[in-house]
Amino acid sequence: MKRPILLLVLLVSAATSILAATPDPLRTGSLPQTPSAPVAGTEATDVPVVTSATTVAEGAVEVAGADLPDRSVETVEPVEAVRTPGMADPSAAAGIHPAGQSVGKEPVFTVQLHGTVRAKFEYQPDLGKSRFEVRNARFSLSGKVTPLVDYKAEIDLSDEGSIKMLDAYARLNMLHRKLRLTIGQMRVPFTIDAHRSPHEQYFANRSFIAKQAGNVRDVGATLGWSFGQTVPVTLEGGLFNGSGLTGQKDYWTRSFNYSAKARFLFTERVNLTLSIQKTHPDIVDIHMYDVGAYYENPLWHIEAEYLRKNYARDAFPGVNVVDAFVCRNVPLKSRALKQLSILARYDYMSDHSRGVADPDTGALVADDPERHRVTGGVTFSLGLPFRADIRINYEAYFYRATATPALSEQDKFVAEFMVRF
């Protein structure tokens, strides 16, 4: 009886010595490598991470629901995980071993924090008056909840002094992210310039297409589909309430607004965009048609866009809107100043109505008189373009003699400091 016990003790001791001498894969980091979590909008992987995205200059990119800027693409930088009460180790709570390895398969979760601040000084020589203004102070959260589900929430704390909730949507990605369903509050898929976020704009003030004619945000759902190798194509269309951003609570309709957009990218330098939209702001339907194209390389961006706005039952004459501009980039080797951009723009809009009837006459009236505008400017990029830019512009307006220009729609000098983070 003693021999079996003694043999058992010897076997246990030997096994303990062997295990003690064997490297622990959790301590040595020798676990099989797993891919890290991607940026939202790429193929899914298994490691949950917390990320922060900033915007840098590059080629044009578009995802369903938003046109990302010309020359811009999202990149991800890791940020320090935040500890919360009761959480001893945030990386362990996320399913990540201290050596950087994942344990098992967990859903991908990402958080991207974005912010844009635009502060400007304006001077109107005809009036002899000037002002300072915070044009935008936007903050947004976006990212992934699972490999198939994205989200975005964006608020502007100072849209010309007003607080506005801009985007609040969820997106379901299917067929390897080639097919995307988005539902919530968003900018409708329409035009090129109206889809640019404030930090993506080339000029301090938006074009007439982006500000007066084609600037629409609404609540609804869109379906986007991307395909093509030689010529990448993105198609997107959706239905919308027509209630705008603030009239959702008691708004019911028998006829939704709609919008559709097709984008073609030729030779990675030429973009062609076709759009159509129907709105019903008050008493009649309004149909809009837009065609735009641009060419760009690292030194040049040349763009032209035309929008036509028709009012049902001839309630108001059709509106023509044109936007055309050129940008010449001059890379610099200075540590502080990375790039100088020289810009020139021409835009035009005939008499324009927002489509809301006059309360006294019940008819549509011109909210914006016909005008031409020529803008010249220079942009100093203190980092990558569209990240920390100083924009200096001069705008010259041309009205017919009988027109009464709006106070802020007259000749002006503009100096703007834009910071994107």
Side-chain angles (χ1 to χ4, degrees):
M1 184 68 181
K2 293 181 179 181
R3 288 184 178 180
I5 294 176
L6 181 59
L7 182 60
L8 180 60
V9 171
L10 292 174
L11 289 175
V12 171
S13 299
T16 303
S17 301
I18 293 172
L19 290 174
T22 303
D24 185 351
L26 294 179
R27 297 187 179 184
T28 61
S30 60
L31 281 175
Q33 297 288 331
T34 57
S36 58
V39 186
T42 61
E43 291 297 327
T45 56
D46 300 324
V47 183
V49 296
V50 179
T51 60
S52 172
T54 55
T55 303
V56 298
E58 194 62 34
V61 178
E62 181 176 86
V63 294
D67 276 60
L68 296 178
D70 309 332
R71 302 183 293 166
S72 74
V73 63
E74 299 277 322
T75 59
V76 171
E77 302 169 0
V79 297
E80 182 180 353
V82 179
R83 292 177 181 267
T84 57
M87 182 185 294
D89 187 346
S91 60
I96 302 177
H97 188 269
Q101 309 298 331
S102 65
V103 180
K105 291 187 176 182
E106 297 290 341
V108 172
F109 177 74
T110 64
V111 177
Q112 299 175 353
L113 173 64
H114 301 270
T116 303
V117 176
R118 294 171 62 208
K120 64 171 63 176
F121 169 80
E122 294 182 317
Y123 170 70
Q124 294 193 167
D126 292 341
L127 299 179
K129 295 182 179 181
S130 55
R131 68 176 178 179
F132 291 97
E133 181 185 28
V134 177
R135 182 60 185 85
N136 296 107
R138 293 192 181 190
F139 295 89
S140 69
L141 290 175
S142 60
K144 288 185 178 182
V145 177
T146 75
L148 300 180
V149 179
D150 300 341
Y151 67 92
K152 183 180 181 183
E154 181 177 52
I155 188 171
D156 198 330
L157 301 179
S158 181
D159 186 344
E160 295 184 315
S162 301
I163 298 176
K164 294 181 181 179
M165 187 68 193
L166 301 177
D167 290 334
Y169 61 75
R171 175 175 296 147
L172 176 63
N173 300 286
M174 299 164 281
L175 301 179
H176 303 288
R177 307 185 75 85
K178 294 181 179 179
L179 185 65
R180 296 170 293 273
L181 172 65
T182 306
I183 184 168
Q185 180 172 295
M186 70 197 82
R187 186 180 293 280
V188 303
F190 188 65
T191 82
I192 297 176
D193 202 42
H195 239 290
R196 290 189 171 109
S197 295
H199 71 281
E200 303 162 1
Q201 296 168 13
Y202 286 80
F203 296 85
N205 289 319
R206 293 173 294 171
S207 67
F208 299 146
I209 286 179
K211 184 176 182 179
Q212 280 90 1
N215 181 27
V216 179
R217 264 191 169 91
D218 209 339
V219 182
T222 65
L223 191 65
W225 180 33
S226 299
F227 61 93
Q229 296 294 329
T230 304
V231 179
V233 179
T234 299
L235 305 178
E236 186 181 10
L239 300 176
F240 299 90
N241 283 347
S243 59
L245 305 184
T246 59
Q248 304 176 37
K249 183 178 179 180
D250 295 319
Y251 187 88
W252 298 86
T253 182
R254 296 180 183 276
S255 176
F256 288 110
N257 292 343
Y258 64 80
S259 184
K261 182 177 181 179
R263 174 182 177 271
F264 307 86
L265 187 61
F266 302 95
T267 68
E268 298 183 354
R269 296 192 183 279
V270 179
N271 177 297
L272 173 64
T273 299
L274 308 174
S275 309
I276 184 173
Q277 182 180 153
K278 190 273 284 187
T279 65
H280 188 89
D282 191 9
I283 59 174
V284 297
D285 289 346
I286 299 176
H287 291 88
M288 291 180 280
Y289 309 90
D290 181 272
V291 56
Y294 65 74
Y295 166 84
E296 71 174 359
N297 61 37
L299 299 180
W300 291 92
H301 183 99
I302 303 171
E303 181 171 316
E305 188 169 9
Y306 168 75
L307 184 149
R308 173 70 180 184
K309 199 169 186 176
N310 292 330
Y311 301 78
R313 302 199 299 271
D314 295 325
F316 191 84
V319 178
N320 297 305
V321 194
V322 174
D323 174 37
F325 72 90
V326 59
C327 172
R328 174 64 163 91
N329 300 318
V330 182
L332 302 174
K333 296 182 179 180
S334 169
R335 294 182 60 184
L337 189 59
K338 303 300 182 183
Q339 181 173 283
L340 174 69
S341 299
I342 303 170
L343 307 101
R345 176 180 66 186
Y346 166 77
D347 54 343
Y348 163 80
M349 180 172 64
S350 58
D351 288 336
H352 172 255
S353 172
R354 293 181 290 111
V356 178
D358 181 88
D360 297 326
T361 64
L364 300 185
V365 297
D367 301 298
D368 303 292
E370 180 183 32
R371 59 188 179 270
H372 303 257
R373 179 175 60 178
V374 176
T375 305
V378 60
T379 297
F380 302 94
S381 297
L382 304 180
L384 296 169
F386 300 130
R387 185 156 179 184
D389 293 346
I390 297 175
R391 302 165 177 164
I392 299 177
N393 295 168
Y394 186 82
E395 303 174 357
Y397 289 77
F398 302 90
Y399 293 89
R400 61 176 176 265
T402 57
T404 303
L407 181 61
S408 297
E409 300 293 323
Q410 302 181 47
D411 292 4
K412 65 169 68 72
F413 167 83
V414 185
E416 178 183 82
F417 193 6
M418 185 283 298
V419 177
R420 170 72 170 176
F421 58 90

